[in-house]
Amino acid sequence: METFNNSKPILLFLLLPCLLLYSLIAFNSSSVEAAMHTNNWAVLVCTSRFWFNYRHMANTLSLYRTVKRLGIPDERIILMLADDMACNTRNKYPAQVFNNENHRLNLYGDNVEVDYRGYEVTVENFLRVLTGRHETAVPRSKRLLSDEGSHILLYMTGHGGDEFLKFQDSEELQSHDLADAVKQMKEKHRFKELLIMVDTCQAATLFNQLQSPGVLAIGSSMKGENSYSHHLDSDVGVSVVDRFTYYTLAFFERLNIYDNASLSSLFSSYNPSLLMSTAYYRKDPYKRNLEEVPVTNFFGSVMETIHTDAAYKALSRINSGRFEAQTSLDQSVHHIERRMPMKVNDQEETHNIIPEGNKQLLQGEEGASKCPWSTFCNKFRKGENVDILVNYGLVAMIPLLVILTWLVQ
Amino acid sequence: MEKLKKKIRSFSFWNWVIASIIFRLILIYFPNNLNLSSRPEVSTPLTSFRRLSEGYWLKQLSMSPYAGSMYHGSPLLLSLLGPLTVKRIEGQPNHLLYSLVSVIADVVSAMLIRATGQNLQVAYFGTLKSFDLVKQIEGSEVHSPGDVAALIYLCNPFTIVACMGLSTSPIENMAVILCLYGACSRLIPLAAFGWVIATHMSLYPAILIIPVIFLLGRGPDAPPRKLFLQMHQEKGVLNQSKLPPCFSWGPIIHFAFWALLWSVYVLVLCGISLKQFGGLWEMFKSTYGFILTVEDLSPNIGVLWYFFAEVFEFFWNFFLIVFHANILFMILPLAIRLHHRPCYLAYVAVCSMLKSYPSVGDSALYSGLLGWFVNELSDMQFSLFLFCGYVGVSPLSPVMHNLWIWRGTGNANFYFATTMVYACLQIVLVVEGVSAMLNHDRKLRSLITGKPRDAKS
């Protein structure tokens, strides 16, 4: 005869959901997880039109070629060009754009994908690309679909001045517009790190107003200085490349996809006497040490490939620090060397976050009544243990059922 | 002689069980599970193995398992069966562990069916004894409903196909049978657990609450109470102890309490596991909401996909209500008429005609449960027609599907024809079963009250 007053199983049984409910209540906020660097994007903008600004388009196309060569695919490059050089009636070499008078490289080859061309290169479209606020009909190829794990390279070239950049000879982008857009991007988690490279006159003034963390900016000249073109191609009839971009390209032409040259080596390769201006960079919002950041973090896209045997085996973002253990041993030494800076940095980031989190937890739990629960709740706040808890709950269901059935019989 | 016959019968029962297990194990080793898991009859959006592995993979990537509208099941199944979808053993077929789990679920279900059937048999003989009718059935062959039902369940090709097709139906069926077993054996926590789990995994077993209430309140199947009263009035004996017990509410309240407790437990576990993906509301939207709104119109063995592909969207809500209410409104009048036979009511509830995404696993379940009533339904009309119908539809359905999708020489109507036939067969089965059951009751009444027998055969 079942007795409703059989207290043992009822007590036992009421305790378990109470435990779970208590831990749910005690859990107030989720901890911040550092996003893993997962993809690279490049936004390359040439803000000039007309034949005499040939060099700006050549700048942008050279950087486009470099970035593609080092691994970023077209679907992750937004290229904004006026695109009126290659087929200009004044172009002696139709459908060809050169950045050197030796005409060794045709930058306008078979696989140049221009996303915004002609009159579409406006300040409005540029800001829409950065902030991601498009009309609904804008196709995916014209959108910057980055996420919180992206590193973005933003390269702008054209005519500029003190805190402005001229767009297509009719409008201007001001430094606070750019800073606002970057701030919006940061709030919307549209990038993990951003490198802004500007090649115009008085370029460094364009990022005077930047405050967002994770942004590194370099300009070809400081306030009051001009940026000069490198040389004149007497055959084409105009200057074909600017000095800053020329020396940047010279640095990159020596690299291939496996090199781990650092950003500090890139920045220190600029010689003010050769550039005839001072290349100035701002790294106060960017917290990492430039010597540990490989240039391929921005200018290329070198992806980790981890060989596994089983299907559907994927890493969770929580366990980002552990993937080194699974790499196969016969990868090249360059890979391992290059990967180590990133590993150190990720662990640094996670290490930075965990002590702060623990401090918060310790302060929050001082008023807690039960001591054993504090350690339990601390562990529970980290996301990994959720699955373990659910598994325990499931596994406990069967013996619980058996015991209860037997007891209540 | 009787003992020997019984021994032979029980011996051959275990033979058949072992034979079916061996057959399943052999089938596991066929390459790619004979591609059964890609058949629309076996894997529906609710039971598909591919979707389970997709949900598990999404969960591992710290994304919501319901992202992309692939997985529509319970998050607990993900934690339980998810790791089995990726575990690979060298040299063995791909999904060996998962197939073994399905086989074990089938065997456990069969054993539970057998136990419930034995319970029913004991109750049946008890009622016959109280009516002093035992000598009248001694001559005719009375099958043990537990054995018959368990064997039907195990050796049914539908069950084997559902097991080999790596769907989650064996586990859902096990939960339903666990609930009915618990209710028949008066193990209330077990019944509540089975009911909560079955409802949690697919919505339709919720309707089993009505048969379970009757089972707990009154006991397993018995002829109507007024027959007892009539018999005692006739014979003039008022022996209270021989009467079946009155409807008692105590067990029902007990059941409600346990059901509440188990559902809180299950919901808390689900809430924890889905904490960062939108919580319980997301789960309800993706599982129950998906079942109720019939979002996925890919072909299956039901009729709703074709129907909703041709009905204007304006009328969808109306027809959804009609179809889902059909199941509910079928049970309620039957509950009034057949309240003394709750196990049969459970069988009709399990049939769940015009479900959103029926599969072969559902037909496996109700065919198995049909075996419990092999004695009462032995005079069912159209039994040969139904059997041949099922045998005919089973190969025709894949053939029409092939003609439609792969060869292109047929169109959707070909496949829809077979699904309509299947639905018709299901309806005829239920209708004829109910009338056969009522005829059985009428026969009992005529035997007891001494009136001339009905001429119906």
Side-chain angles (χ1 to χ4, degrees):
Chain A
M1 182 67 183
E2 311 92 327
T3 54
F4 212 78
N5 305 322
N6 199 353
S7 52
K8 244 187 303 174
I10 293 177
L11 268 180
L12 182 76
F13 200 68
L14 283 177
L15 201 57
L16 194 63
C18 285
L19 300 184
L20 297 167
L21 282 171
Y22 178 79
S23 20
L24 268 178
I25 292 165
F27 180 87
N28 35 20
S29 68
S30 60
S31 60
V32 171
E33 294 173 10
M36 203 166 76
H37 165 214
T38 46
N39 50 43
N40 284 0
W41 282 81
V43 179
L44 310 172
V45 184
C46 166
T47 60
S48 318
R49 59 185 307 115
F50 307 131
W51 175 246
F52 50 83
N53 292 321
Y54 186 102
R55 62 189 184 284
H56 296 144
M57 187 157 135
N59 288 347
T60 319
L61 282 173
S62 325
L63 215 66
Y64 174 76
R65 180 189 159 270
T66 302
V67 146
K68 266 180 86 158
R69 186 174 65 86
L70 292 178
I72 303 186
D74 270 316
E75 64 204 11
R76 291 209 286 270
I77 303 177
I78 307 268
L79 183 59
M80 302 174 77
L81 290 180
D83 208 17
D84 55 352
M85 309 299 169
C87 302
N88 199 309
T89 44
R90 294 162 77 165
N91 191 357
K92 187 177 165 197
Y93 298 93
Q96 287 165 338
V97 173
F98 304 112
N99 68 349
N100 200 314
E101 62 177 346
N102 57 23
H103 294 188
R104 200 165 50 85
L105 268 179
N106 171 20
L107 300 172
Y108 208 76
D110 287 335
N111 56 353
V112 171
E113 260 187 40
V114 182
D115 297 302
Y116 288 83
R117 60 157 37 93
Y119 289 110
E120 292 172 354
V121 183
T122 57
V123 174
E124 181 194 344
N125 280 347
F126 173 67
L127 291 176
R128 280 187 188 277
V129 163
L130 283 189
T131 55
R133 296 161 66 165
H134 293 279
E135 306 277 327
T136 47
V138 169
R140 279 176 72 92
S141 57
K142 283 186 164 176
R143 293 180 191 237
L144 179 64
L145 299 169
S146 54
D147 54 27
E148 67 262 15
S150 306
H151 285 182
I152 303 185
L153 166 71
L154 174 58
Y155 174 81
M156 295 189 280
T157 181
H159 289 290
D162 193 1
E163 307 224 2
F164 73 89
L165 176 60
K166 190 164 74 161
F167 260 72
Q168 304 241 330
D169 220 23
S170 60
E171 46 183 12
E172 62 190 24
L173 172 78
Q174 302 200 342
S175 60
H176 56 80
D177 291 328
L178 182 64
D180 262 347
V182 171
K183 194 163 150 197
Q184 273 194 47
M185 284 172 83
K186 190 67 193 174
E187 294 217 358
K188 289 165 76 161
H189 300 289
R190 278 168 72 76
F191 65 90
K192 185 166 183 281
E193 290 173 13
L194 174 63
L195 171 63
I196 304 181
M197 191 179 247
V198 187
D199 186 1
T200 66
C201 302
Q202 306 188 55
T205 56
L206 192 65
F207 39 84
N208 267 348
Q209 317 272 352
L210 279 180
Q211 309 285 350
S212 313
V215 177
L216 180 62
I218 179 165
S220 58
S221 49
M222 297 184 62
K223 182 177 158 105
E225 293 177 353
N226 290 333
S227 292
Y228 296 97
S229 63
H230 190 257
H231 61 265
L232 170 73
D233 182 346
S234 44
D235 205 4
V236 173
V238 283
S239 306
V240 288
V241 70
D242 280 333
R243 284 180 182 257
F244 179 74
T245 309
Y246 179 83
Y247 288 111
T248 311
L249 292 172
F251 180 87
F252 277 107
E253 287 298 310
R254 295 195 308 263
L255 289 186
N256 63 20
I257 204 169
Y258 300 113
D259 284 330
N260 58 348
S262 66
L263 274 182
S264 67
S265 59
L266 170 64
F267 290 171
S268 49
S269 72
Y270 296 124
N271 186 344
S273 56
L274 287 178
L275 280 181
M276 291 161 67
S277 59
T278 320
Y280 171 74
Y281 63 93
R282 254 191 84 182
K283 69 176 193 54
D284 38 282
Y286 189 70
K287 296 291 180 244
R288 287 168 66 178
N289 189 351
L290 285 181
E291 297 197 355
E292 293 163 3
V293 180
V295 286
T296 46
N297 262 15
F298 293 100
F299 287 91
S301 177
V302 188
M303 289 285 115
E304 302 287 335
T305 53
I306 300 163
H307 173 68
T308 62
D309 277 327
Y312 293 116
K313 196 155 189 185
L315 301 166
S316 66
R317 290 203 190 138
I318 310 164
N319 302 325
S320 64
R322 285 196 233 147
F323 58 72
E324 276 73 27
Q326 296 174 12
T327 53
S328 58
L329 290 171
D330 52 345
Q331 280 183 350
S332 69
V333 177
H334 294 286
H335 267 186
I336 296 172
E337 278 175 359
R338 188 190 30 74
R339 210 179 308 117
M340 272 172 55
M342 200 153 57
K343 169 189 167 188
V344 166
N345 288 328
D346 278 336
Q347 280 191 348
E348 271 177 9
E349 281 171 8
T350 50
H351 283 155
N352 283 339
I353 285 168
I354 290 174
E356 288 166 9
N358 271 340
K359 276 188 221 147
Q360 279 176 356
L361 292 169
L362 285 172
Q363 285 161 4
E365 288 290 331
E366 266 166 8
S369 50
K370 296 184 185 170
C371 281
W373 287 120
S374 57
T375 44
F376 180 75
C377 293
N378 283 348
K379 263 198 246 168
F380 184 71
R381 269 165 222 243
K382 294 186 196 155
E384 306 125 43
N385 286 21
V386 163
D387 290 326
I388 301 177
L389 189 71
V390 173
N391 286 344
Y392 280 155
L394 276 175
V395 164
M397 211 157 43
I398 309 292
L400 201 63
L401 174 73
V402 168
I403 292 170
L404 285 169
T405 314
W406 177 71
L407 281 174
V408 181
Q409 216 164 13
Chain B
M1 189 59 193
E2 282 293 327
K3 256 192 199 165
L4 190 61
K5 227 197 248 177
K6 218 177 173 180
K7 220 185 247 177
I8 292 172
R9 208 176 291 150
S10 66
F11 181 66
S12 64
F13 167 74
W14 287 112
N15 262 2
W16 279 107
V17 168
I18 292 171
S20 71
I21 296 176
I22 292 176
F23 185 57
R24 276 164 227 256
L25 290 175
I26 292 174
L27 276 184
I28 291 178
Y29 280 88
F30 272 60
N32 270 347
N33 292 96
L34 292 170
N35 281 326
L36 278 174
S37 51
S38 53
R39 292 238 65 90
E41 293 93 0
V42 176
S43 67
T44 63
L46 297 176
T47 60
S48 168
F49 173 76
R50 200 171 54 98
R51 289 175 184 248
L52 179 70
S53 0
E54 175 89 14
Y56 178 69
W57 185 73
L58 285 171
K59 190 107 189 281
Q60 293 299 98
L61 278 187
S62 315
M63 286 204 274
S64 164
Y66 301 115
S69 183
M70 272 298 268
Y71 180 64
H72 293 282
S74 150
L76 301 182
L77 266 187
L78 279 183
S79 313
L80 211 57
L81 296 177
L84 291 180
T85 59
V86 291
K87 194 103 174 55
R88 297 249 186 293
I89 305 177
E90 277 301 316
Q92 305 288 337
N94 269 345
H95 301 293
L96 180 72
L97 287 173
Y98 189 89
S99 317
L100 284 180
V101 167
S102 308
V103 170
I104 292 172
D106 271 347
V107 171
V108 167
S109 314
M111 293 302 117
L112 288 173
I113 290 180
R114 180 165 190 247
T116 320
Q118 280 169 347
N119 218 330
L120 282 176
Q121 188 178 21
V122 162
Y124 188 55
F125 275 128
T127 58
L128 287 182
K129 207 176 280 184
S130 67
F131 286 142
D132 299 323
L133 287 173
V134 185
K135 56 184 185 310
Q136 286 186 305
I137 56 141
E138 241 173 28
S140 58
E141 195 171 336
V142 172
H143 302 279
S144 157
D147 291 352
V148 169
L151 281 184
I152 290 181
Y153 186 76
L154 270 184
C155 302
N156 194 348
F158 288 152
T159 328
I160 297 178
V161 159
C163 179
M164 289 304 113
L166 300 174
S167 72
T168 58
S169 344
I171 297 162
E172 289 173 16
N173 294 349
M174 186 170 78
V176 169
I177 292 168
L178 195 66
C179 168
L180 292 177
Y181 169 71
C184 271
S185 324
R186 297 289 186 126
L187 295 171
I188 298 184
L190 198 64
F193 176 74
W195 183 75
V196 164
I197 294 288
T199 313
H200 177 65
M201 291 210 285
S202 68
L203 181 57
Y204 293 102
I207 203 90
L208 282 175
I209 188 91
I210 296 173
V212 161
I213 285 177
F214 283 121
L215 268 174
L216 290 174
R218 193 187 292 274
D221 287 12
R225 191 175 156 70
K226 60 181 182 184
L227 274 185
F228 285 95
L229 294 173
Q230 259 185 326
M231 180 191 90
H232 288 302
Q233 276 176 4
E234 290 264 315
K235 306 272 168 78
V237 175
L238 261 173
N239 198 346
Q240 283 289 337
S241 64
K242 272 197 176 176
L243 282 173
C246 296
F247 192 82
S248 55
W249 285 99
I252 314 282
I253 298 172
H254 214 166
F255 175 80
F257 167 70
W258 285 113
L260 189 67
L261 236 44
W262 282 117
S263 38
V264 162
Y265 188 89
V266 163
L267 286 177
V268 160
L269 276 182
C270 290
I272 295 174
S273 85
L274 288 178
K275 167 171 50 81
Q276 61 224 84
F277 306 130
L280 281 178
W281 177 243
E282 184 67 35
M283 183 187 87
F284 283 133
K285 218 162 39 125
S286 298
T287 55
Y288 291 171
F290 179 74
I291 295 176
L292 288 175
T293 55
V294 190
E295 283 168 8
D296 190 314
L297 293 181
S298 49
N300 49 51
I301 211 171
V303 295
L304 294 190
W305 56 276
Y306 189 91
F307 190 80
F308 282 115
E310 60 181 5
V311 162
F312 288 116
E313 217 173 295
F314 180 79
F315 298 105
W316 270 12
N317 284 337
F318 168 68
F319 280 112
L320 280 172
I321 296 175
V322 163
F323 285 128
H324 289 300
N326 168 62
I327 301 172
L328 196 62
F329 291 167
M330 193 176 57
I331 286 294
L332 294 176
L334 279 180
I336 299 173
R337 191 71 182 82
L338 283 175
H339 62 91
H340 53 280
R341 291 195 180 274
C343 271
Y344 191 74
L345 201 60
Y347 158 76
V348 174
V350 156
C351 276
S352 291
M353 298 181 288
L354 300 178
K355 260 172 98 149
S356 320
Y357 303 101
S359 74
V360 193
D362 302 324
S363 69
L365 181 63
Y366 69 71
S367 318
L369 295 192
L370 193 60
W372 282 339
F373 314 104
V374 68
N375 294 320
E376 287 98 339
L377 295 182
S378 54
D379 293 336
M380 191 166 80
Q381 272 186 330
F382 302 137
S383 49
L384 181 65
F385 165 73
L386 285 169
F387 179 73
C388 292
Y390 273 110
V391 164
V393 153
S394 319
L396 265 186
S397 170
V399 164
M400 294 302 170
H401 187 256
N402 188 316
L403 276 184
W404 171 32
I405 304 272
W406 296 108
R407 289 171 197 270
T409 52
N411 55 34
N413 297 320
F414 286 49
Y415 191 64
F416 182 59
T418 61
T419 65
M420 267 208 299
V421 169
Y422 178 78
C424 280
L425 290 174
Q426 216 177 352
I427 295 171
V428 169
L429 179 66
V430 167
V431 167
E432 289 307 316
V434 168
S435 62
M437 193 61 87
L438 295 175
N439 270 345
H440 184 81
D441 282 340
R442 275 191 213 111
K443 258 196 215 130
L444 272 181
R445 193 175 65 199
S446 68
L447 276 176
I448 292 165
T449 56
K451 285 203 181 121
R453 240 185 221 206
D454 275 353
K456 236 180 188 165
S457 62

